[in-house]
Structure formats: C-alpha cells, structure tokens
Amino acid sequence: MRPELMRAAIGLALENIKNGGGPFGAVVARGGEIVGRGANRVTATNDPTAHAEILAIRDACRRLGTFQLEGCELYTSCEPCPMCLGAAYWARPAKIHFAATQADAAAAGFDDAFIFRQFALPAAERSLPQLPFLRGEALAVFEVWKNHAGRVEY
C-alpha cells in the first residue's frame, strides 16, 4: 500500500467536486508510478458509466496499450460499486485499495447496496427484469467466435 497513491486518488475526488463532478477519484499504478487517472464524471457528461475507476482503467489501458492491467494496482477513494468492481475483475489488476467504504458512500447519498442484493435474485425477479430470447441465434455467434482464427483471448 502506497499512501501517496491513495492521496492522489482522494485528491482527484476533491478536485473533481470543484469541476462539477462527483466525489470519487481513482488511479492505476504500476511499480509505484501512476499510469491511469479517473474522476467521476457521471453528471458532467451524462454518462452513467463514467465512474472514477472505469475512467482510470480506460486511461491506464490506453496508455499501456493493453486491455489487462496485470501487475498494476487500483487505488480508489471509495470502495468500488458493482459496475466498477466488475470492470476491475475484467481488467485484472493485482490489487484494489480503497479509502472510504460502501457504508460511507451510502451515508453521503451514494447507496448501491440494492444492486448487490439484486445480483442474488434470479434474473426474472430483479427490479430490472432480464428476459432471455433468441438464444440459438446468439449461440451461433459464439460458434463463429470459437472457430475464428484471429480471435484474441481474454
């Protein structure tokens, strides 16, 4: 754990409030050096996916020329929400460090506990129902993928 890296993430969160964004910041570091930065821009850009962690991961991947962050660490001013946690798993950093907790975020008006609870429900019972259809057609696309000579595994 590197306090200066967490302070960089927290500093991004504080500065972002002044710039019209939310109170969240994140950095991706490799070997103690920052390779990606992000601050919450959801309301500033009308993009619900513009969370600090997502933007920091995108920045780091672009700078490093890769879609996986093996050997990197994610420092975030707050415990990741479900979307950001999922993105981090896909990006594969070695570790995630966070400052404030989910409970702290909820106390500030950012409560995503309901999303975590939704994941435990069967898809058709969630508050945002997920109803499958045309599975066969989608499976045919996977078959094309499995046989595609140029595919890149991830």
Side-chain angles (χ1 to χ4, degrees):
M1 289 188 271
R2 307 277 299 262
E4 68 275 13
L5 296 173
M6 184 59 78
R7 287 188 181 106
I10 293 169
L12 284 170
L14 184 58
E15 185 66 24
N16 197 50
I17 294 170
K18 298 173 190 172
N19 294 324
F24 302 96
V27 299
V28 175
R30 183 171 68 180
E33 297 295 320
I34 294 174
V35 295
R37 290 175 173 79
N40 183 287
R41 304 302 294 161
V42 170
T43 59
T45 62
N46 294 318
D47 179 355
T49 68
H51 288 204
E53 297 90 338
I54 301 290
L55 298 179
I57 289 168
R58 288 176 183 166
D59 187 35
C61 288
R62 181 184 50 78
R63 290 176 187 228
L64 297 174
T66 182
F67 57 86
Q68 294 186 342
L69 298 174
E70 294 167 346
C72 295
E73 297 184 8
L74 175 62
Y75 286 79
T76 180
S77 64
C78 187
E79 190 172 0
C81 75
M83 177 181 67
C84 293
L85 185 58
Y89 271 100
W90 280 111
R92 295 181 175 91
K95 294 179 184 171
I96 299 172
H97 305 277
F98 62 89
T101 66
Q102 288 178 21
D104 298 329
F110 298 94
D111 190 0
D112 55 18
F114 78 97
I115 299 173
F116 283 107
R117 288 191 301 273
Q118 290 288 304
F119 289 156
L121 298 173
E125 294 178 22
R126 295 175 184 159
S127 64
L128 179 60
Q130 300 168 44
L131 309 168
F133 72 104
L134 296 180
R135 180 174 178 235
E137 292 179 30
L139 290 175
V141 175
F142 283 140
E143 285 304 313
V144 171
W145 169 253
K146 286 194 260 182
N147 296 314
H148 180 59
R151 77 174 188 247
V152 176
E153 299 289 335
Y154 60 97

